[in-house]
């Protein structure tokens, strides 16, 4: 069993593995969405700390570090971590989600991984020192060339860099809303704004992918306007 799954509180781990689709079919259970929120915050912090302290990146500029941080915690990479620690066979999904291939869904795998990270942190009484080495080992297992390639194609980071270069003390912000889909495969609509101005929109299954597509839409519009190079 992977170290990340060794809990003192088995009920907490059970909740971390429980998707909303399972709760809908099994009333009385608790879903993992709040734990997912906590895990996402922890992974963002730990990935930033990892890059900042690693001697290989000592001279790296902030924008490049931001891209690499996103590459370490994007949906595809977190799904790989989930499989590596054994979550693929442990996720508690509804029957419909399983029939639709949910056990192999990058979106569900990555969100469950975030939930387990958040739950493990709570299981350790909020002691980040207990979870840091486990997560750092996973980060270190990602080949450097994969981080580099993936960081170069992240649309949200590229759009943010453009905003920072053209606006003073302002960052893009995203608004997402669920517009349909099943509980195990919700569809979201995202909009990206700079100040009050709308720059791009996108639809996708999963909030992160919808935000990514809205950033891609914004970049496409900027290219058409000649504001960024092809």
């Amino acid at each position: 069993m992977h170290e990340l799954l060794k809990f003192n509180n088995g009920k907490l781990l059970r909740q971390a593995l429980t998707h909303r689709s399972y709760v809908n079919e099994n009333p009385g259970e608790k879903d993992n969405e709040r734990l997912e929120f906590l895990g996402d915050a922890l992974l963002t912090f730990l990935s930033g700390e990892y890059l900042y302290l690693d001697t290989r990146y000592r001279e790296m500029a902030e924008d490049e570090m931001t891209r690499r941080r996103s590459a370490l915690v994007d949906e595809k990479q977190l799904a790989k971590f989930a499989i590596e620690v054994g979550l693929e066979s442990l996720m508690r999904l509804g029957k419909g989600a399983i029939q639709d291939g949910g056990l192999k869904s990058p979106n569900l795998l990555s969100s469950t991984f975030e939930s387990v990270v958040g739950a493990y942190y709570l299981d350790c009484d909020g002691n980040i020192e207990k979870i840091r080495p486990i997560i750092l080992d996973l980060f270190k297992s990602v080949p450097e060339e994969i981080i580099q390639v993936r960081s170069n194609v992240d649309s949200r980071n590229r759009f943010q860099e453009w905003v920072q270069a053209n606006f003073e003390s302002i960052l893009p912000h995203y608004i997402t809303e669920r517009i349909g889909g099943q509980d195990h495969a919700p569809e979201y609509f995202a909009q990206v704004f700079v100040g009050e101005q709308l720059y791009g929109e996108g639809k996708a299954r999963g909030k992160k992918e919808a935000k990514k597509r809205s950033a891609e839409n914004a970049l496409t519009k900027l290219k058409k306007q000649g504001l960024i190079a092809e």
Side-chain angles (χ1 to χ4, degrees):
M1 179 183 293
H2 192 278
E3 191 68 25
L4 190 60
L5 300 179
K6 295 179 180 178
F7 274 61
N8 295 311
N9 184 344
K11 290 183 179 179
L12 192 56
L13 175 59
R14 181 185 179 91
Q15 181 183 349
L17 297 169
T18 304
H19 186 256
R20 180 191 292 181
S21 62
Y22 185 91
V23 175
N24 288 342
E25 298 176 9
N26 299 272
E29 296 279 352
K30 291 184 178 181
D31 68 51
N32 58 12
E33 291 183 0
R34 285 175 56 84
L35 291 172
E36 178 186 347
F37 171 83
L38 177 58
D40 176 67
L42 287 164
L43 287 165
T44 298
F45 168 72
L46 290 170
S47 58
E49 180 188 59
Y50 164 65
L51 291 168
Y52 185 84
L53 296 178
D54 194 305
T55 56
R56 293 175 297 170
Y57 310 124
R58 187 162 290 169
E59 303 301 322
M60 187 172 288
E62 178 189 0
D63 58 349
E64 177 63 16
M65 290 177 69
T66 298
R67 287 197 297 269
R68 291 185 178 227
R69 178 181 62 191
S70 294
L72 280 172
V73 296
D74 72 4
E75 181 179 281
K76 183 182 296 185
Q77 187 56 58
L78 294 186
K80 289 183 178 179
F81 288 155
I83 293 172
E84 186 174 336
V85 304
L87 298 185
E88 187 177 12
S89 61
L90 297 176
M91 290 192 299
R92 306 175 76 218
L93 308 177
K95 294 178 181 178
I98 293 174
Q99 290 175 353
D100 287 346
L103 293 174
K104 295 186 180 299
S105 164
N107 178 261
L108 296 184
L109 283 164
S110 63
S111 61
T112 303
F113 180 78
E114 290 173 332
S115 302
V116 170
V117 168
Y120 191 92
Y121 173 77
L122 295 178
D123 194 59
C124 295
D125 298 321
N127 184 352
I128 201 169
E129 299 302 327
K130 296 287 185 65
I131 194 170
R132 179 183 279 115
I134 298 174
I135 300 304
L136 292 188
D137 281 346
L138 290 171
F139 288 156
K140 290 175 183 177
S141 72
V142 183
E144 171 66 17
E145 58 269 23
I146 290 180
I147 298 176
Q148 184 174 1
V149 169
R150 195 178 294 147
S151 68
N152 288 335
V153 298
D154 187 274
S155 54
R156 289 180 64 183
N157 282 320
R158 284 189 283 128
F159 181 60
Q160 180 170 314
E161 288 172 8
W162 181 85
V163 172
Q164 289 176 312
N166 290 274
F167 296 87
E168 184 177 351
S169 302
I170 191 170
L171 292 173
H173 65 278
Y174 296 82
I175 296 177
T176 60
E177 63 174 332
R178 182 172 174 179
I179 58 173
Q182 302 298 316
D183 282 336
H184 61 274
E187 186 176 14
Y188 289 90
F189 175 68
Q191 295 177 305
V192 58
F193 293 83
V194 178
E196 300 298 320
Q197 184 175 348
L198 174 65
Y199 271 75
E201 300 176 327
K203 296 179 182 178
R205 287 188 175 182
K207 292 180 181 179
K208 291 181 180 178
E209 186 62 27
K211 290 178 181 179
K212 178 181 176 181
R213 292 189 182 181
S214 68
E216 290 172 350
N217 179 239
L219 291 169
T220 298
K221 291 179 179 179
L222 292 172
K223 289 177 182 177
K224 290 181 178 179
Q225 296 170 22
L227 297 176
I228 59 175
E230 292 288 343

